[in-house]
Amino acid sequence: MSEKVTIATVARHARVSRQTVSNVLNAPHIVREETRLRVEDAINTLGYRANQAARQMRTGRSRLIAARIEPTRDGINGSVLDRFLHGLTETADAAGYRVLLYTASDDEREISTYDDLLGTYELDAFVLVGTKHGDPRTAWLAERDVPFVTFGRPWDALDAHPWVDVDGAAGTAGATRHLLAAGHRRIAFIGWPAGSGVGDDRRAGWRDALHEAGVDPTGLHRETEDGIAEGERLMRDLLAAVAPTAVVCASDSLALGALQAIRGTDPPVSVIGFDDTPVAAAVGLASISQPLGEAAARCVDLLTGVLDGNHETPTHVLLQPSLALRHTA
């Protein structure tokens, strides 16, 4: 049996790097003509991707999309991505697609994985989860005209590419208004360090709701990296500094930490988290719930619209969260 021809085989034959072979396949305009011709000659000589190319000529699609599995941090927030991926897989299957899952520990490794996957499989598109300011992943894919959609907004330019997101500011604003209606005025917020698009958005909803009610949020906000221990530490700091009667948190992990800090306080402090994880439901933590199944379905809708060239398909979808009320609020 002959050896399977891979992108590495072509690279060795053409005496170039795997990155160069990938560039020839996906962005030939950025490769010097002499190098491009040498790589193309190696591809033709070795018959690289001949079977995949034939299949795509027959169907027009590989019917394969790729999505990343992110490493879990505390076993709580990872369940959010799990639910999204489950919905993505089910919706993609109904549309005749399969989802290829991959993992990467940081942006650089994820981009390297794009390179490997595009050289190994005839992928139709990518679904990216989580976006940030100056996101190098979306820039890399866009430069190579690789179709993709993100679950998360492009925070630097909302029209940069197709995306689906949940309105985090609306979620925290709704939670804050619920607490205001219950008679609270000193409503604190525990969030993430400034600069995170998602974190800044969730903090803005809390702040704006307080301003609308004529409440000054000065001194009521704390920020930290995500985690239960971090949430507990900052809640203790808030209790000592401003004695809030309620707190809205940017994640369920932070809220669970806040719950540990308020044990035995009198009167009790109301706590609302974000993401409505299974752990939150199990302990009775009120939390803002994202419509993850709908988000996954809309991602598939956007992708099929992009791949079909359907310009009537909306390219930006902003979904509304809901508040799962439990005894902590």
Side-chain angles (χ1 to χ4, degrees):
M1 182 180 293
S2 60
E3 178 185 358
K4 179 181 177 181
V5 178
T6 67
I7 194 170
T9 312
V10 175
R12 287 195 300 269
H13 189 92
R15 302 185 305 281
V16 297
S17 68
R18 293 165 63 188
Q19 175 69 56
T20 300
V21 175
S22 179
N23 288 342
V24 170
L25 293 169
N26 301 297
H29 61 282
I30 69 173
V31 183
R32 289 191 336 185
E33 182 178 9
E34 176 187 353
T35 304
R36 178 177 58 79
L37 292 173
R38 191 164 77 247
V39 172
E40 290 175 346
D41 180 69
I43 289 171
N44 293 329
T45 300
L46 296 171
Y48 176 61
R49 298 169 67 184
N51 291 337
Q52 296 174 21
R55 182 182 69 233
Q56 186 168 10
M57 286 178 64
R58 289 194 304 271
T59 66
R61 299 272 178 82
S62 67
R63 316 300 293 187
L64 188 64
I65 58 180
R68 171 184 173 182
I69 300 176
E70 293 188 351
T72 57
R73 295 180 298 276
D74 54 18
I76 297 171
N77 291 323
S79 65
V80 178
L81 179 60
D82 289 346
R83 285 182 286 161
F84 174 80
L85 290 177
H86 185 83
L88 182 70
T89 303
E90 284 191 337
T91 308
D93 181 68
Y97 286 83
R98 295 291 182 269
V99 179
L100 175 68
L101 300 178
Y102 62 91
T103 187
S105 57
D106 55 38
D107 290 342
E108 182 178 353
R109 287 180 175 85
E110 183 164 4
I111 290 172
S112 178
T113 301
Y114 296 163
D115 192 19
D116 289 342
L117 292 175
L118 289 168
T120 306
Y121 302 95
E122 196 69 31
L123 291 172
D124 278 345
F126 286 84
V127 176
L128 276 59
V129 178
T131 51
K132 64 193 77 175
H133 293 288
D135 200 321
R137 304 167 305 155
T138 57
W140 193 94
L141 292 170
E143 286 170 3
R144 290 156 178 80
D145 294 323
V146 178
F148 69 94
V149 63
T150 62
F151 178 35
R153 275 164 277 182
W155 297 100
D156 298 316
L158 292 180
D159 60 350
H161 56 71
W163 55 267
V164 177
D165 202 3
V166 176
D167 193 341
T172 52
T176 305
R177 293 188 188 107
H178 168 79
L179 294 169
L180 287 163
H184 295 281
R185 303 294 285 179
R186 291 195 308 279
I187 304 170
F189 183 83
I190 299 178
W192 304 319
S196 157
V198 175
D200 292 349
D201 192 48
R202 294 179 183 182
R203 182 174 63 253
W206 159 82
R207 181 194 61 225
D208 292 347
L210 287 185
H211 279 147
E212 290 170 5
V215 177
D216 183 0
T218 302
L220 292 170
H221 166 245
R222 298 291 186 276
E223 60 185 39
T224 182
E225 297 301 325
D226 202 46
I228 295 174
E230 290 80 0
E232 180 177 5
R233 175 175 57 82
L234 290 193
M235 189 67 214
R236 293 189 186 282
D237 177 64
L238 284 165
L239 289 170
V242 293
T245 61
V247 61
V248 177
C249 297
S251 73
D252 281 351
S253 294
L254 292 171
L256 289 166
L259 279 181
Q260 293 183 358
I262 65 169
R263 285 179 181 171
T265 57
D266 187 24
V269 177
S270 295
V271 179
I272 298 179
F274 202 115
D275 284 329
D276 194 23
T277 57
V279 174
V283 302
L285 170 67
S287 187
I288 299 158
S289 179
Q290 301 193 62
L292 297 171
E294 184 180 358
R298 300 305 294 271
C299 281
V300 174
D301 288 344
L302 260 61
L303 270 186
T304 55
V306 169
L307 295 170
D308 292 341
N310 184 356
H311 300 295
E312 295 182 2
T313 302
T315 55
H316 312 144
V317 178
L318 187 62
L319 302 173
Q320 295 302 307
S322 58
L323 180 58
L325 287 173
R326 300 187 180 96
H327 73 259
T328 64

